[in-house]
Amino acid sequence: DKGYSYVEGLTPVLSLLTGCSRAHRVIRKFIKAQVLPPLTDVSNRPEIGTTVRNKLVRLMTHVDLGVKQVAAEFLFVLCKERVDSLLKYTGYGNAAGLLAARGLLAGGRGEHWYSDDEDTDTEEYKSAKPNINLITGHLEEPMPNPIDDMTEEQKEYEAMKLVTMFDKLSREEVIKPMGVRAARSEEH
């Protein structure tokens, strides 16, 4: 249909699904199984692909604020308003807008209580979890530690450069180092 924006149809549908998922455990579990099945492949970013999850994660960074909010809220409710679960499926970068709006950037849970369900982590996800980049939400190869290839002299040189930089910042009063004093007992 010409002139009909998918946004006009998408927003009310996602709002309805969000409300139903929030109110009815059985509906939430069924929809989550369809939209957010247990993760088995985390080699691609959450927004890349053709699954419903990939498309909803892409909508979390949409230019239309209404679409962005309703897509993020829907996924958050499917994750039982648990920040760690949302980040598992979307990555921190995609979820940052919703979490900032709700004051949950440091983690935690939303306002609603949900029943405890079984752990849905697959063995593939559990084994890949230590190497998943929390910002992008996908598996990355571990970066080599640059210090491993340095000699002791190079390490000492880099440490002295760091001390010099901190000293300069302190002298220019960009930072103000704090000291620890011994506690004084007050005599009356």
Side-chain angles (χ1 to χ4, degrees):
D1 188 52
K2 293 181 181 176
Y4 181 76
S5 169
Y6 73 93
V7 173
E8 293 170 5
L10 182 65
T11 305
V13 169
L14 286 178
S15 294
L16 176 68
L17 290 173
T18 301
C20 290
S21 296
R22 183 175 277 140
H24 303 286
R25 176 179 179 265
V26 174
I27 292 174
R28 184 187 71 252
K29 284 185 77 169
F30 176 78
I31 293 173
K32 183 177 180 180
Q34 306 305 309
V35 176
L36 299 175
L39 292 175
T40 55
D41 179 23
V42 287
S43 59
N44 292 319
R45 295 170 65 120
E47 67 272 18
I48 296 174
T50 58
T51 67
V52 176
R53 169 186 157 235
N54 302 137
K55 292 174 183 179
L56 285 168
V57 171
R58 276 197 298 273
L59 289 176
M60 291 176 76
T61 57
H62 196 274
V63 293
D64 185 304
L65 188 60
V67 171
K68 180 189 307 193
Q69 288 173 335
V70 75
E73 182 74 15
F74 176 55
L75 290 173
F76 194 47
V77 167
L78 290 182
C79 293
K80 297 192 282 188
E81 299 191 25
R82 290 181 46 220
V83 173
D84 58 336
S85 182
L86 179 69
L87 296 180
K88 171 181 152 182
Y89 286 102
T90 67
Y92 194 82
N94 293 314
L98 170 81
L99 299 177
R102 288 175 156 257
L104 295 171
L105 281 172
R109 290 190 89 131
E111 305 165 355
H112 299 279
W113 181 86
Y114 295 89
S115 63
D116 289 330
D117 292 336
E118 66 283 344
D119 184 17
T120 59
D121 288 350
T122 61
E123 289 304 316
E124 294 91 342
Y125 179 79
K126 287 178 183 176
S127 66
K129 190 174 182 178
N131 296 323
I132 294 176
N133 180 321
L134 297 177
I135 303 300
T136 61
H138 80 291
L139 185 65
E140 290 185 351
E141 292 300 318
M143 298 295 291
N145 186 347
I147 293 178
D148 291 344
D149 296 332
M150 291 179 149
T151 65
E152 289 302 314
E153 292 79 24
Q154 289 172 317
K155 291 177 187 176
E156 189 173 321
Y157 174 76
E158 292 298 326
M160 289 309 297
K161 274 181 33 180
L162 189 60
V163 168
T164 304
M165 286 188 270
F166 273 113
D167 183 54
K168 182 179 176 188
L169 290 171
S170 176
R171 278 187 275 114
E172 294 174 0
E173 296 184 2
V174 174
I175 62 170
K176 196 171 202 172
M178 297 180 67
V180 179
R181 295 186 204 151
R184 289 189 270 177
S185 62
E186 303 220 2
E187 296 177 18
H188 294 289

